[in-house]
Amino acid sequence: MTAARRSIRYAVVGLGHIAQVAVLPAFAHARNSELVAVVSGDRTKRREMAKRYGLEQTFTYEEFDNCLREVDAVYIALPNSMHADYTIRAARAGVHVLCEKPMAVTTKECQQMIAACRKARVKLMIAYRLHFESLNLAAMDLARRGRLGELKFFNSTFSMMVRRGDIRTKRAYGGGTLYDIGVYCINAARNLFRAEPTQVSAVSINSGLSSLAEIDETTAATLRFGNDQVATFVTSFNAADVAAYRIVGTKGDLHADPAYEYAEGLEYSVTIDGKTTRKAIGKRDQFAPELLYFSDCILKDREPEPSGEEGLQDVRIVDALYQSARSGRPVTIRRFVKTRRPTGRQRITRPGVRKPRLIKVQSASRD
């Protein structure tokens, strides 16, 4: 890459719902990031996306290695089970990787991804979009500055009625509530507490629905932190749409609802000494800030955050929770020291985008 380069050329790999609704439109708001190609196994999707975004090149999955010769970076929006393979192949080709969460399905895969990118000296970032959302960062700042007093416990609910046959319900593709939506709760608790869990436990429940038989239908989790803080959350693919959390301290509490969405605005309320204040924002583009920041890291040779280590820790916790659910016993988490944390430089705001016409894809949630 020459010193004069001012933008990074991307290929978006995978043209599912999140890619079509959010990732592809975000390039219009990311001046240092240029969409030059898409990769998909579906000919119609490739043709329609090329037409919509003025792309000269599209590639099948079999042509992925050819694609890597034409780009500087990839945004991986594939099923969870494919993240590791495509990240490692991109790294070996000298291509930087922005990968959707969860980072991968196993801790071993995460470690292999980190090692491959480190060996090739390419950047690896995990797409935790809320690390760039100003309302989320404001909530974290408020908690960390002691406005709520000594932080005691965190509770979250994230649920949806998942469409029958959706990829999230397929074990072979890395489906499951903890992988898909539990990582939001885990990551929020870790960052709000500014601490790491030392022990976790979980219970998974299935009501007998054949459409959810391969994965956990509902999981209730408890994360114990070494400084006597505790986080609990419930995730479900067979309950009404809810995406909220509450963190409680000795002086007050903060309640975010909705807390994790990208298709609508976010809101939280803070109650301190009996007085409640509310803060809300309308819909914003949460994906353009990721692109802007990651491209800037590439151009200026800076290490990005959320890093691969951040993604690895969440997958490590997911793995331990599933292990606990199977065994019926608590599981100890190995010590993890977070070396990089969100800073004010990541507070990037871009206006919301209008939902585009979808091509051969549906939302995961039932209408």
Side-chain angles (χ1 to χ4, degrees), residues 78-85 104-105 109 167 171-175:
L78 293 165
N80 302 335
S81 60
M82 301 170 71
H83 289 183
D85 179 39
V105 178
E109 287 181 336
I167 198 168
R171 181 182 298 174
Y173 291 104

Side-chain angles (χ1 to χ4, degrees), residues 16-253:
H17 185 266
I18 199 168
Q20 291 191 34
V21 167
V23 180
L24 294 173
F27 282 91
H29 292 152
R31 64 187 180 280
N32 60 0
S33 308
E34 180 185 2
L35 176 65
V36 299
V38 292
V39 181
S40 173
D42 189 286
R43 181 180 180 182
T44 302
K45 289 182 182 180
R46 295 195 305 271
R47 183 184 67 242
E48 293 300 316
M49 293 304 110
K51 187 185 305 181
R52 181 177 298 175
Y53 293 101
L55 306 179
E56 295 183 1
Q57 301 181 91
T58 68
F59 299 88
T60 66
Y61 293 126
E62 291 75 19
E63 297 168 331
F64 181 59
D65 292 333
N66 295 334
C67 172
L68 294 173
R69 289 193 279 270
E70 306 296 328
V71 299
D72 307 307
V74 291
Y75 190 116
I76 296 180
L78 293 165
N80 302 335
S81 60
M82 301 170 71
H83 289 183
D85 179 39
Y86 279 76
T87 293
I88 292 167
R89 289 167 65 185
R92 288 173 176 168
V95 173
H96 306 282
V97 178
L98 178 51
C99 181
E100 261 301 333
K101 60 199 169 303
M103 182 176 177
V105 178
T106 68
T107 57
K108 182 178 179 180
E109 287 181 336
C110 294
Q111 291 164 343
Q112 290 171 338
M113 293 162 70
I114 292 169
C117 291
R118 188 171 291 155
K119 181 177 180 180
R121 297 185 179 180
V122 300
K123 310 297 183 188
L124 170 63
M125 188 173 105
I126 311 304
Y128 287 97
R129 51 189 167 75
L130 293 176
H131 281 226
F132 302 87
E133 173 51 61
S134 61
L135 197 76
N136 184 61
L137 291 173
M140 288 194 291
D141 288 344
L142 188 148
R144 291 169 180 172
R145 284 189 284 112
R147 293 290 305 281
L148 305 179
E150 186 180 348
L151 300 178
K152 290 296 185 178
F153 65 89
F154 167 97
N155 181 262
S156 184
T157 304
F158 202 171
S159 58
M160 66 177 75
M161 298 294 292
V162 169
R163 194 181 301 277
R164 188 180 186 89
D166 187 85
I167 198 168
R168 291 161 179 79
T169 68
K170 308 296 183 184
R171 181 182 298 174
Y173 291 104
T177 70
L178 292 181
Y179 285 121
D180 188 62
I181 53 183
V183 290
Y184 288 89
C185 308
I186 294 166
N187 201 260
R190 292 176 51 235
N191 281 285
L192 285 163
F193 281 147
R194 212 177 176 96
E196 300 299 329
T198 57
Q199 186 184 77
V200 304
S201 58
V203 175
S204 291
I205 298 170
N206 285 70
S207 64
L209 285 176
S210 60
S211 60
L212 298 175
E214 294 185 15
I215 51 104
D216 56 310
E217 178 182 319
T218 300
T219 293
T222 300
L223 282 59
R224 182 170 182 174
F225 293 76
N227 46 4
D228 295 324
Q229 295 167 325
V230 65
T232 60
F233 66 85
V234 177
T235 53
S236 181
F237 280 166
N238 189 32
D241 289 2
V242 179
Y245 72 71
R246 186 186 298 271
I247 185 165
V248 181
T250 54
K251 295 181 180 178
D253 73 277

